[in-house]
Amino acid sequence: MSIKKIIALVAVLVCISAWTAFGVGMFLDVSTTMKTVLLTVAAFATEGLIWAMAFVLGLTVFEARQKIWRFLTGRGRRDEAARDDRVGEA
């Protein structure tokens, strides 16, 4: 299993655990202070999940940046040569 999958899996599990703890706290009718703590932990876990996914996807984008750049700018060097020829004609 790759490091990216491990990071994503851990982040998802932490987030689910935090929200489950908050749900159990609401079901058990804990004090307002404890509800606030559980909600804050769940919110931070969700924020951590978002950043972890951005990190994991960012690595994927970083690894494939040349392929993505070619896709965004055209079909590679062949298009650049054709554009250079047209500029020279003008």
Side-chain angles (χ1 to χ4, degrees):
M1 185 177 271
S2 71
I3 189 72
K4 292 187 279 188
K5 288 183 182 179
I6 293 171
I7 290 170
L9 182 63
V10 168
V12 167
L13 290 176
V14 168
C15 188
I16 289 172
S17 298
W19 282 107
T20 302
F22 176 71
V24 169
M26 293 296 289
F27 179 74
L28 295 176
D29 197 30
V30 295
S31 68
T32 304
T33 304
M34 184 55 72
K35 287 179 189 175
T36 304
V37 169
L38 289 172
L39 184 62
T40 303
V41 169
F44 278 115
T46 304
E47 183 74 17
L49 174 66
I50 292 169
W51 281 102
M53 290 302 151
F55 175 72
V56 168
L57 293 174
L59 282 180
T60 303
V61 170
F62 182 74
E63 291 169 353
R65 67 190 180 278
Q66 290 177 344
K67 189 174 184 179
I68 292 169
W69 184 252
R70 285 186 187 139
F71 175 76
L72 291 174
T73 59
R75 291 289 179 200
R77 307 220 182 269
R78 182 179 41 168
D79 289 342
E80 290 176 14
R83 272 185 264 146
D84 290 341
D85 289 342
R86 279 181 271 165
V87 170
E89 291 175 4

